[in-house]
Amino acid sequence: MQKLYDENAPWYRGNLHTHTTLSDGHLDPDEAIQYYRKEGYSFLAITDHRRFYQYNEEKGFTLLGGTELDDNDFENHAAWHIIGVGMTKAARYTRGDKAPRMIQAVREAGGIAILGHPVWSLLTHRDMMSLDGIFATEIYSGVSEACTGRGDSSEYVDICAAKGCRHMLLGVDDTHYYDRDVFQAWIMLQAPSLSREDLMASLLAGNFYATEGGPGFRQITVDGDTIEVQCEPSQVVTFYSDAFYCDDRVQYAAAAPIRSATYKIKKSDSFVRVQLTDEKGKRSTSQYIEVNRKPV
């Protein structure tokens, strides 16, 4: 039996994609930090375009070093936006560098590389599958949804996952305007503390889930061929996998909201992703759970 969450560890709320007046955001860095702190966030990454913003630790709040590198291919209608988080120095980047070099630059600077808003970017599945070194993909993007209607990448990432390309999944604001694009999506992360080292270790371990303000996860337990979810009250619990048909994939609330649900792993499943939905349609998603692993 495996429990995915530590029932004694604290949960912290954070946003890993934020813009300020250092590039094309509408608040300066100090204003942005205070905006998120007042909303109850515990960590943040300022990721301005082609600018590095340093990390900092204060009591109750941590700023992770960050940047966003980009390559917009207007001829082929594909935007490659690579977000760097957790960096300890600026990435060595030249305008016009392609995605593989941007990923390498982020990693060389001590950070993790995130593929930004792939549906907004009009990337094909082959585009994402061609990238090495990506740690996470943005499944929910606040500004992409609020301003262009292309913030939901859930079907996109699942199709890639079914082909063997699986990354961690993030909810982010990608804040620019600080109105309808702010506090729209984030991650809830478990870590021993808010030190940079603990936050980065927990990110790398996948000890977090992405949310649009949907129900929270309490526990996910994998026991043999069964996955059991304990959660905040939900109207729908969906167990996405790479099986074509599952009669228990989508489970709806009846007389009362769902607080726990179980799923039988199918022989054709290689992953399961659990999504919780509330009465307003707000969602939360687990990371991919690897199942039916073949012996090495």
Side-chain angles (χ1 to χ4, degrees):
M1 183 174 68
Q2 177 188 15
K3 292 187 175 183
L4 301 190
Y5 302 127
D6 182 347
E7 295 173 354
N8 297 313
W11 288 97
Y12 297 113
R13 182 182 181 184
N15 180 48
L16 298 181
H17 193 166
T18 317
H19 293 280
T20 73
T21 51
L22 294 178
S23 62
D24 54 353
H26 285 198
L27 294 183
D28 69 35
D30 288 340
E31 291 173 322
I33 291 167
Q34 292 307 312
Y35 211 71
Y36 277 94
R37 291 197 72 166
K38 288 179 180 178
E39 189 65 17
Y41 283 68
S42 296
F43 61 95
L44 183 71
I46 291 178
T47 54
D48 279 301
H49 294 277
R50 301 172 296 281
R51 298 288 298 273
F52 170 60
Y53 201 87
Q54 182 64 280
Y55 64 92
N56 184 53
E57 296 178 20
E58 299 179 5
K59 185 178 181 180
F61 189 84
T62 299
L63 191 68
L64 295 172
T67 192
E68 180 172 2
L69 309 180
D70 53 66
D71 174 37
N72 298 319
D73 185 344
F74 294 102
E75 181 178 353
N76 294 300
H77 304 284
W80 304 87
H81 288 215
I82 305 299
I83 296 87
V85 168
M87 305 156 62
T88 57
K89 60 183 178 180
R92 297 181 60 186
Y93 165 79
T94 301
R95 194 72 184 269
D97 282 348
K98 300 304 178 185
R101 173 58 201 147
M102 292 190 280
I103 295 168
Q104 181 183 8
V106 165
R107 289 163 62 94
E108 288 174 349
I112 55 175
I114 298 161
L115 180 63
H117 40 65
V119 169
W120 178 92
S121 298
L122 299 179
L123 296 179
T124 68
H125 302 103
R126 289 186 181 275
D127 287 335
M128 186 165 93
M129 293 168 63
S130 71
L131 296 178
D132 292 325
I134 289 290
F135 168 74
T137 303
E138 294 175 353
I139 187 170
Y140 309 135
S141 172
V143 73
S144 296
E145 184 62 28
C147 298
T148 71
R150 287 180 174 157
D152 178 9
S153 293
S154 53
E155 291 183 3
Y156 177 95
V157 295
D158 280 352
I159 290 173
C160 292
K163 312 303 180 187
C165 180
R166 294 168 202 158
H167 304 146
M168 296 293 177
L169 303 173
L170 294 180
V172 302
D173 278 338
D174 190 1
T175 333
H176 287 73
Y177 308 107
Y178 293 86
D179 48 34
R180 58 182 173 171
D181 62 336
V182 72
F183 312 142
Q184 295 301 304
W186 58 90
I187 64 170
M188 295 298 298
L189 177 141
Q190 286 190 312
S193 77
L194 284 172
S195 71
R196 176 191 176 274
E197 290 75 17
D198 282 347
L199 290 177
M200 292 304 297
S202 293
L203 278 169
L204 290 168
N207 296 334
F208 62 95
Y209 64 86
T211 183
E212 302 171 301
F217 287 94
R218 291 291 176 253
Q219 188 57 268
I220 300 176
T221 304
V222 183
D223 189 0
D225 66 350
T226 301
I227 295 177
E228 180 180 4
V229 177
Q230 304 290 329
C231 59
E232 292 180 348
S234 303
Q235 290 299 304
V236 185
V237 178
T238 309
F239 295 88
Y240 288 105
S241 74
D242 48 350
F244 293 122
Y245 176 77
C246 301
D247 59 6
D248 58 345
R249 168 169 289 149
V250 186
Q251 301 180 25
Y252 298 93
I258 300 171
R259 295 177 183 272
S260 65
T262 59
Y263 173 80
K264 290 292 185 181
I265 298 168
K266 311 302 181 285
K267 291 183 178 180
S268 57
D269 290 340
S270 66
F271 72 83
V272 176
R273 177 176 69 85
V274 188
Q275 181 175 277
L276 311 175
T277 308
D278 68 11
E279 69 280 358
K280 296 180 180 180
K282 295 296 185 180
R283 301 167 296 177
S284 300
T285 182
S286 73
Q287 301 304 324
Y288 288 114
I289 304 165
E290 301 286 340
V291 299
N292 292 323
R293 295 178 179 173
K294 298 179 180 179
V296 177

